[in-house]
Amino acid sequence: MIRTHNLHKRLGRRDVLQGLDLEIERGQRVALIGSNGAGKTTLIRCLLGEYTREGEVTLVGRDPRRFRTEVLRHVGFVPQLPPPLKMPVGQLIRYVASLCAADTRHMIDVAARLGFDAERFRHHPFVRLSGGQKQKLLIATALGRNADILILDEPAANLDPEARSTFFSLLAEREKEAVMLISSHRLDEVAALVNRVVELDQGKVVLDDRVADSVDLTSRLDCHIALTRPEPAFAKAITPWGFSARDDGTAWHGTVAGADRLRFLGMLSRYVALIGALELREIDDRRRSVQDRAHA
């Protein structure tokens, strides 16, 4: 589905991509990681046909530079930075749908699942939306269509925890039929979403590894946390995750998307000295759970 061979790209005096070889097949969910300047964004722009380059690039068997319109019909793309578009939300949805012969109602439905009412904001300029609203709409236009290839650049960066959980469920609906390339500078942000990790450094692939494909993207964790004492900073950090407090702020309960567990535990690690006990239960579809406990 995605193939590059001996891909070179020079920007100014710098060789950003240096002979990059990569093949990604249907059903693979690939984390594209690397530090700033490693070549992730340049690779994505080459895949989208935005850059001239040396070497071969094909998506669905076509060169995206020569057959850009045809290739992009197969691609759902979420950029890292929202474009400064002044067109109203409704017009943007209709425009994107027209490019790929998609149903605008499906995009509107996906936006609603993420918590964004596209109908309510249909006359609102895209550029005036909040960061989270822009991200939800861009995800909706990428996933609300029948795309064979999903290219997602830091896709969940501006999403609240509940919207992230919905986003993971949306990806789960496509995991068997689409190629997914998910770019991030932090592996813990995307580790639970993928079954392959590709790391770039100075425009070259320095790691290409298959990883365990056992995480259910739709799973949720039931979580109980006991603190040794109340702490306002902890309350401020945990509340956006939808947790509620009992016992004067020393006991907290909530649920976390299974695919967000590393990100959640990373947040908790800042308060490890306060945590007396932590209990996580992975809840299955029949409301039975397999217990996974950790005590601090």
Side-chain angles (χ1 to χ4, degrees), residues 183-195:
S183 176
S184 179
H185 68 283
R186 291 181 53 183
L187 181 57
D188 64 340
E189 290 280 339
V190 297
L193 303 179
V194 301
N195 52 25

Side-chain angles (χ1 to χ4, degrees), residues 135-157:
Q135 196 73 359
K136 291 173 182 178
L137 181 57
L138 291 172
I139 290 172
T141 57
L143 300 186
R145 48 186 290 196
N146 188 27
D148 299 305
I149 298 172
L150 298 175
I151 299 177
L152 314 172
D153 195 355
E154 302 281 2

Side-chain angles (χ1 to χ4, degrees), residues 87-93 116 118 121-126 129 137:
M87 69 173 64
V89 166
Q91 182 182 347
L92 175 59
I93 292 174
F116 177 67
F121 286 90
R122 64 184 181 277
H123 299 303
H124 200 84
F126 177 82
L129 297 176
L137 181 57

Side-chain angles (χ1 to χ4, degrees), residues 204-219:
K204 299 179 180 179
V205 175
V206 295
L207 172 71
D208 188 348
D209 194 18
R210 300 298 197 277
V211 296
D213 191 14
S214 58
V215 175
D216 180 358
L217 297 182
T218 64
S219 69

Side-chain angles (χ1 to χ4, degrees), residues 7-11 14 16-17 37-48 51 200:
L7 176 59
H8 289 262
K9 178 59 185 177
R10 187 177 182 87
L11 294 175
R14 180 167 170 251
V16 182
L17 299 177
K40 302 188 301 298
T41 298
T42 301
L43 172 59
I44 287 173
R45 289 181 175 176
C46 288
L47 296 179
L48 296 174
Y51 281 163
L200 299 186

Side-chain angles (χ1 to χ4, degrees), residues 7-296:
L7 176 59
H8 289 262
K9 178 59 185 177
R10 187 177 182 87
L11 294 175
R13 298 181 178 179
R14 180 167 170 251
D15 292 318
V16 182
L17 299 177
Q18 303 184 54
L20 194 147
D21 293 327
L22 184 65
E23 291 192 31
I24 307 174
E25 301 299 333
R26 188 184 301 273
Q28 292 186 343
R29 305 188 305 277
V30 180
L32 181 66
I33 64 172
S35 59
N36 291 334
K40 302 188 301 298
T41 298
T42 301
L43 172 59
I44 287 173
R45 289 181 175 176
C46 288
L47 296 179
L48 296 174
E50 296 179 7
Y51 281 163
T52 58
R53 84 285 163 174
E54 296 179 7
E56 298 179 20
V57 178
T58 58
L59 280 71
V60 292
R62 295 279 191 170
D63 185 323
R65 187 71 181 175
R66 295 177 56 200
F67 303 96
R68 193 173 183 203
T69 300
E70 180 180 340
V71 167
L72 291 184
R73 289 195 184 105
H74 294 268
V75 178
F77 173 55
V78 178
Q80 179 180 5
L81 298 176
L85 301 174
K86 295 182 179 179
M87 69 173 64
V89 166
Q91 182 182 347
L92 175 59
I93 292 174
R94 291 192 300 273
Y95 173 72
V96 174
S98 69
L99 294 178
C100 54
D103 189 341
T104 58
R105 291 173 299 179
H106 194 192
M107 295 181 180
I108 291 170
D109 289 344
V110 171
R113 289 175 61 181
L114 289 164
F116 177 67
D117 188 345
E119 291 283 10
R120 176 187 171 192
F121 286 90
R122 64 184 181 277
H123 299 303
H124 200 84
F126 177 82
V127 73
R128 291 175 56 189
L129 297 176
S130 70
Q133 290 172 331
K134 291 176 182 176
Q135 196 73 359
K136 291 173 182 178
L137 181 57
L138 291 172
I139 290 172
T141 57
L143 300 186
R145 48 186 290 196
N146 188 27
D148 299 305
I149 298 172
L150 298 175
I151 299 177
L152 314 172
D153 195 355
E154 302 281 2
N158 291 316
L159 298 183
D160 56 85
E162 190 59 37
R164 286 174 65 91
S165 178
T166 301
F167 172 63
F168 301 147
S169 295
L170 289 166
L171 292 184
E173 294 170 7
R174 309 292 300 280
E175 63 180 326
K176 301 299 183 184
E177 61 193 49
V179 165
M180 299 184 194
L181 182 64
I182 306 173
S183 176
S184 179
H185 68 283
R186 291 181 53 183
L187 181 57
D188 64 340
E189 290 280 339
V190 297
L193 303 179
V194 301
N195 52 25
R196 181 180 171 189
V197 176
V198 172
E199 183 176 1
L200 299 186
D201 185 41
Q202 297 184 9
K204 299 179 180 179
V205 175
V206 295
L207 172 71
D208 188 348
D209 194 18
R210 300 298 197 277
V211 296
D213 191 14
S214 58
V215 175
D216 180 358
L217 297 182
T218 64
S219 69
R220 293 193 69 83
L221 303 174
D222 187 70
C223 181
H224 293 267
I225 303 170
L227 301 183
T228 57
R229 59 178 172 82
E231 174 55 57
F234 179 85
K236 185 176 181 180
I238 198 74
T239 299
W241 289 84
F243 277 60
S244 58
R246 300 191 305 275
D247 299 334
D248 299 324
T250 58
W252 291 82
H253 172 256
T255 60
V256 179
D260 236 359
R261 70 186 73 196
L262 284 179
R263 184 169 177 265
F264 177 70
L265 292 173
M267 182 277 294
L268 289 184
S269 69
R270 303 198 301 266
Y271 306 96
V272 65
L274 292 171
I275 298 175
L278 169 65
E279 179 181 325
L280 296 174
R281 295 176 181 268
E282 187 164 357
I283 309 167
D284 69 15
D285 293 336
R286 296 177 300 278
R287 307 303 297 171
R288 295 181 304 178
S289 60
V290 177
Q291 189 170 354
D292 179 13
R293 290 179 180 155
H295 295 282

